[in-house]
Amino acid sequence: MSDELDSFLKELQDQIYDETLRDYGRKAFDRWIDPSHMHPMENPDAHGRITGSCGDTMEIFLRFKDGRVSEASFTTDGCGPSMICGSLAAELALGKEPEEIERITAETILETIGGLPEEDQHCASLAANTLQVALHDYLD
Ligand code: FES
């Protein structure tokens, strides 16, 4: 790659990073750059999968030990905010009992991340709803 193209791409990336940090805040930005728990899980105890009205699909996988979530992960083919929210949903479920997971909502995710722009708030609903589907798969 030419130095000119390298420099253009670096400038473009810096601009995207600056705008994302400004619009989403540090917590969400860090999770967007490095979303924890983003991988499928083999042989989970519970699995939820939802395609939201936006057309994006999220999956959440849970493993339980002694009645609590010992492992949680997610995948998504969706937007950056869906990666942020899926990562948080998995993290919030870790160590929790089913009754505690039932109380994890889109609002819980949004409060934890410090809010998202209004047009991205449905991404938190997709993550929370997928978590609830996974929980009900476990309970059933
Ligand atoms: Fe579909 Fe964000 S736009 S999950």
Side-chain angles (χ1 to χ4, degrees), residues 14 37 41 52 57-58 60-61 66 74 89 92 118 122 128 132 137:
D14 288 349
H37 312 291
M41 185 187 294
T57 298
M58 185 174 291
I60 290 188
F61 309 87
D66 300 327
F74 79 101
L92 287 166
E118 194 171 337
H122 70 278
Q132 295 306 320
D137 181 43

Side-chain angles (χ1 to χ4, degrees), residues 39 41 61-65 68-73 90 94-95:
H39 56 84
M41 185 187 294
F61 309 87
L62 302 174
R63 187 161 287 135
F64 285 78
K65 189 171 182 209
R68 291 182 180 274
V69 174
S70 59
E71 287 178 57
S73 68
L94 275 174

Side-chain angles (χ1 to χ4, degrees), residues 52 54-58 76 78-82 119-120 122-124 126:
C54 59
D56 296 331
T57 298
M58 185 174 291
T76 181
C79 59
S82 76
E119 64 270 20
D120 295 322
H122 70 278
C123 313
L126 179 62

Side-chain angles (χ1 to χ4, degrees), residues 14-33:
D14 288 349
Q15 187 183 336
I16 291 169
Y17 281 10
D18 287 348
E19 288 173 6
T20 304
L21 185 57
R22 184 194 64 218
D23 294 345
Y24 290 82
R26 172 57 67 184
K27 272 182 169 176
F29 178 81
D30 288 347
R31 204 167 282 261
W32 173 63
I33 293 293

